[in-house]
Amino acid sequence: MKQKQLYALLFLLTCLGMTGCSVKNEDVPGSYVLRYPYATELLLLKSNSEYIQLVIIDSDTAALTNRGKWSYRHNSELVLENALRVDNGFGQLDSLYAQPKQGGSMFPIEGYCGDIYIVRNEDLGFKYERIDDWK
Amino acid sequence: MYDYAATNPLTYTDPNGLTVRSNWNFFWDWVLERGDELRTYGYSNYGPNTVEMEEMMDSPGANYMRQQFRKNNCQDVTDGGYSTLRAYYETIMAPNSTPFQIGGFIYTAKNNGDGTVTYRVYNQASLYSFFLHIPFMPHKPRGGMFPFGGNINQYFEWIEPTP
């Protein structure tokens, strides 16, 4: 009986996880914000495949700006070329956060009830949240 | 390791129960805030030949990283995510395994330019992740008024031939 209850719980959790929907390519461009415990990051995805990354560290008065190309693959994944990596993976400021990383950063994009989120670090709850339709 | 896994490591067979025990211990380490707060596997104190490390290298998550690296034309992946939901689907059949304990993670894949690639996996065990990312569930540092369920950060690193 307990095993049945466990499977029922797993099935319920699986159903809950499937409530999202895919995001179309034309819906991706726009402005997004991600608030870290120590910084704020704005990500502007322009419809000409360029992005602008603006990072404001709480303890610093200057803002960092980075630009590059973005693409959207398989209706599920955002790729930023040579982006800044602000967090070290454990919720702390990366020691090399000011240097763009050469290569591709790949983030899942999720759509829920018309809202779009770019998942930066699911474990830490870091998601870019859409703030307007600016393109 | 291959023999240990009954020549079929992809099924995560663990006849002696080593990872059952280690994952059970990990769970209580997390609940009771025991042991190291940062746990590194691969090129640090746990060594490259631990069962946990081998299981991670053989995991669906590791295969996902390899796919993503190939999709990026074997160029560096500077930041990538293996989602919790996907991890759940792909590891639920082996709930005593290290990949199930880890769940989703973020990763980097660096092309070393010598025919090898370095994979790094970052994961945080927290109340937030344990309760499947329910909003408002905290990422609690260790200690404080409620000294249970404080964060444990886990880090895996290994080098292998470029796929």
Side-chain angles (χ1 to χ4, degrees):
Chain A
M1 185 62 185
K2 280 189 176 177
Q3 195 170 14
K4 280 185 179 176
Q5 289 171 334
L6 176 65
Y7 283 124
L9 178 63
L10 293 176
F11 178 74
L12 180 64
L13 291 172
T14 302
C15 292
L16 283 173
M18 295 174 68
T19 52
C21 54
S22 66
V23 177
K24 293 176 186 168
N25 190 54
E26 56 267 28
D27 295 332
V28 175
S31 306
Y32 298 82
V33 65
L34 196 169
R35 292 184 179 85
Y36 301 94
Y38 47 78
T40 301
E41 179 178 343
L42 288 168
L43 180 64
L44 311 181
L45 300 177
K46 301 166 78 170
S47 47
N48 63 0
S49 299
E50 289 181 356
Y51 75 82
I52 302 173
Q53 204 176 6
L54 183 71
V55 177
I56 304 162
I57 308 295
D58 293 348
S59 59
D60 199 344
T61 52
L64 283 170
T65 306
N66 182 48
R67 294 166 188 267
K69 295 281 187 184
W70 69 270
S71 56
Y72 184 52
R73 293 179 182 166
H74 313 299
N75 277 357
S76 64
E77 184 176 73
L78 175 72
V79 181
L80 303 180
E81 293 178 14
N82 307 331
L84 296 171
R85 186 173 191 252
V86 179
D87 191 84
N88 71 351
F90 297 129
Q92 297 157 348
L93 186 65
D94 193 294
S95 58
L96 299 174
Y97 71 92
Q99 298 175 11
K101 303 291 183 291
Q102 299 302 306
S105 298
M106 303 174 175
F107 307 120
I109 295 188
E110 297 173 347
Y112 293 104
C113 307
D115 292 328
I116 298 176
Y117 300 94
I118 303 169
V119 182
R120 180 101 199 192
N121 186 330
E122 203 175 22
D123 255 354
L124 302 178
F126 292 164
K127 292 183 178 183
Y128 296 93
E129 189 176 345
R130 180 72 164 264
I131 50 177
D132 64 22
D133 288 331
W134 178 88
K135 299 179 183 180
Chain B
M1 183 63 204
Y2 194 70
D3 289 338
Y4 173 75
T7 70
N8 191 2
L10 292 180
T11 63
Y12 311 109
T13 300
D14 184 21
N16 294 337
L18 291 179
T19 51
V20 173
R21 191 183 309 146
S22 69
N23 286 311
W24 182 245
N25 287 340
F26 178 88
F27 174 76
W28 286 108
D29 284 354
W30 169 70
V31 170
L32 301 175
E33 302 191 349
R34 302 183 308 202
D36 295 336
E37 196 169 350
L38 172 64
R39 302 184 182 209
T40 57
Y41 299 81
Y43 294 96
S44 187
N45 49 321
Y46 286 87
N49 298 318
T50 59
V51 179
E52 292 85 353
M53 187 71 198
E54 296 282 345
E55 285 193 338
M56 278 306 290
M57 291 174 69
D58 286 332
S59 69
N63 288 333
Y64 177 79
M65 289 194 296
R66 294 179 186 111
Q67 286 170 13
Q68 295 296 88
F69 181 69
R70 277 199 298 269
K71 272 176 23 184
N72 204 37
N73 299 316
C74 294
Q75 302 298 306
D76 291 355
V77 178
T78 58
D79 217 341
Y82 175 63
S83 79
T84 299
L85 185 61
R86 183 171 186 148
Y88 179 80
Y89 288 133
E90 294 185 341
T91 62
I92 186 62
M93 298 308 290
N96 59 348
S97 67
T98 303
F100 184 77
Q101 179 261 106
I102 295 291
F105 55 76
I106 65 164
Y107 67 90
T108 65
K110 180 172 177 50
N111 189 329
N112 298 317
D114 60 359
T116 65
V117 55
T118 302
Y119 292 104
R120 297 188 176 100
V121 169
Y122 304 79
N123 170 263
Q124 185 176 78
S126 65
L127 287 168
Y128 181 74
S129 62
F130 183 78
F131 288 105
L132 300 174
H133 305 162
I134 295 172
F136 311 114
M137 197 55 74
H139 299 273
K140 193 186 86 59
R142 285 184 161 189
M145 295 287 286
F146 182 76
F148 303 99
N151 301 337
I152 292 181
N153 295 326
Q154 301 185 87
Y155 173 79
F156 293 78
E157 178 182 324
W158 71 89
I159 297 172
E160 64 180 42
T162 304

